[in-house]
PDB file of all heavy atoms in Angstrom:
ATOM      1  N   HIS A 346      20.066   3.486 -40.806  1.00  0.00           N
ATOM      2  CA  HIS A 346      19.561   2.340 -39.964  1.00  0.00           C
ATOM      3  C   HIS A 346      18.516   2.919 -38.945  1.00  0.00           C
ATOM      4  O   HIS A 346      18.253   2.218 -37.997  1.00  0.00           O
ATOM      5  CB  HIS A 346      20.646   1.549 -39.347  1.00  0.00           C
ATOM      6  CG  HIS A 346      21.583   0.883 -40.342  1.00  0.00           C
ATOM      7  ND1 HIS A 346      21.139  -0.291 -40.912  1.00  0.00           N
ATOM      8  CD2 HIS A 346      22.792   1.176 -40.681  1.00  0.00           C
ATOM      9  CE1 HIS A 346      22.141  -0.635 -41.786  1.00  0.00           C
ATOM     10  NE2 HIS A 346      23.207   0.192 -41.689  1.00  0.00           N
ATOM     11  N   LYS A 347      17.954   4.088 -39.143  1.00  0.00           N
ATOM     12  CA  LYS A 347      16.952   4.655 -38.244  1.00  0.00           C
ATOM     13  C   LYS A 347      17.459   4.975 -36.831  1.00  0.00           C
ATOM     14  O   LYS A 347      16.746   4.912 -35.851  1.00  0.00           O
ATOM     15  CB  LYS A 347      15.804   3.631 -38.084  1.00  0.00           C
ATOM     16  CG  LYS A 347      15.266   3.169 -39.449  1.00  0.00           C
ATOM     17  CD  LYS A 347      14.783   4.186 -40.291  1.00  0.00           C
ATOM     18  CE  LYS A 347      14.259   3.634 -41.620  1.00  0.00           C
ATOM     19  NZ  LYS A 347      13.826   4.792 -42.528  1.00  0.00           N
ATOM     20  N   ALA A 348      18.745   5.404 -36.779  1.00  0.00           N
ATOM     21  CA  ALA A 348      19.278   5.835 -35.514  1.00  0.00           C
ATOM     22  C   ALA A 348      19.933   7.338 -35.685  1.00  0.00           C
ATOM     23  O   ALA A 348      20.888   7.510 -36.415  1.00  0.00           O
ATOM     24  CB  ALA A 348      20.449   4.994 -35.049  1.00  0.00           C
ATOM     25  N   ILE A 349      19.223   8.373 -35.018  1.00  0.00           N
ATOM     26  CA  ILE A 349      19.653   9.629 -35.131  1.00  0.00           C
ATOM     27  C   ILE A 349      20.625  10.015 -34.046  1.00  0.00           C
ATOM     28  O   ILE A 349      20.230   9.964 -32.935  1.00  0.00           O
ATOM     29  CB  ILE A 349      18.475  10.668 -35.225  1.00  0.00           C
ATOM     30  CG1 ILE A 349      17.433  10.212 -36.266  1.00  0.00           C
ATOM     31  CG2 ILE A 349      18.906  12.081 -35.465  1.00  0.00           C
ATOM     32  CD1 ILE A 349      17.851  10.255 -37.706  1.00  0.00           C
ATOM     33  N   VAL A 350      21.805  10.409 -34.447  1.00  0.00           N
ATOM     34  CA  VAL A 350      22.822  10.738 -33.472  1.00  0.00           C
ATOM     35  C   VAL A 350      22.670  12.268 -33.078  1.00  0.00           C
ATOM     36  O   VAL A 350      22.852  13.138 -33.970  1.00  0.00           O
ATOM     37  CB  VAL A 350      24.256  10.441 -33.932  1.00  0.00           C
ATOM     38  CG1 VAL A 350      25.295  10.716 -32.979  1.00  0.00           C
ATOM     39  CG2 VAL A 350      24.283   8.888 -34.401  1.00  0.00           C
ATOM     40  N   THR A 351      22.532  12.516 -31.702  1.00  0.00           N
ATOM     41  CA  THR A 351      22.537  13.970 -31.369  1.00  0.00           C
ATOM     42  C   THR A 351      23.657  14.370 -30.606  1.00  0.00           C
ATOM     43  O   THR A 351      23.825  15.520 -30.281  1.00  0.00           O
ATOM     44  CB  THR A 351      21.288  14.014 -30.427  1.00  0.00           C
ATOM     45  OG1 THR A 351      21.414  13.213 -29.302  1.00  0.00           O
ATOM     46  CG2 THR A 351      19.938  13.776 -31.157  1.00  0.00           C
ATOM     47  N   ARG A 352      24.700  13.445 -30.430  1.00  0.00           N
ATOM     48  CA  ARG A 352      26.008  13.835 -29.859  1.00  0.00           C
ATOM     49  C   ARG A 352      26.948  12.938 -30.456  1.00  0.00           C
ATOM     50  O   ARG A 352      27.026  11.727 -30.306  1.00  0.00           O
ATOM     51  CB  ARG A 352      26.093  13.581 -28.308  1.00  0.00           C
ATOM     52  CG  ARG A 352      27.455  13.949 -27.748  1.00  0.00           C
ATOM     53  CD  ARG A 352      27.463  13.939 -26.149  1.00  0.00           C
ATOM     54  NE  ARG A 352      27.257  12.638 -25.651  1.00  0.00           N
ATOM     55  CZ  ARG A 352      28.152  11.703 -25.411  1.00  0.00           C
ATOM     56  NH1 ARG A 352      29.480  12.101 -25.704  1.00  0.00           N
ATOM     57  NH2 ARG A 352      27.996  10.474 -24.937  1.00  0.00           N
ATOM     58  N   ILE A 353      27.830  13.460 -31.382  1.00  0.00           N
ATOM     59  CA  ILE A 353      28.587  12.748 -32.302  1.00  0.00           C
ATOM     60  C   ILE A 353      29.662  11.853 -31.757  1.00  0.00           C
ATOM     61  O   ILE A 353      29.931  10.792 -32.129  1.00  0.00           O
ATOM     62  CB  ILE A 353      29.182  13.654 -33.416  1.00  0.00           C
ATOM     63  CG1 ILE A 353      29.739  12.907 -34.558  1.00  0.00           C
ATOM     64  CG2 ILE A 353      30.333  14.541 -32.711  1.00  0.00           C
ATOM     65  CD1 ILE A 353      30.107  13.839 -35.705  1.00  0.00           C
TER      66      ILE A 353
END
Side-chain angles (χ1 to χ4, degrees):
H346 293 287
K347 311 300 182 183
I349 306 298
V350 180
T351 61
R352 180 172 65 89
I353 196 169

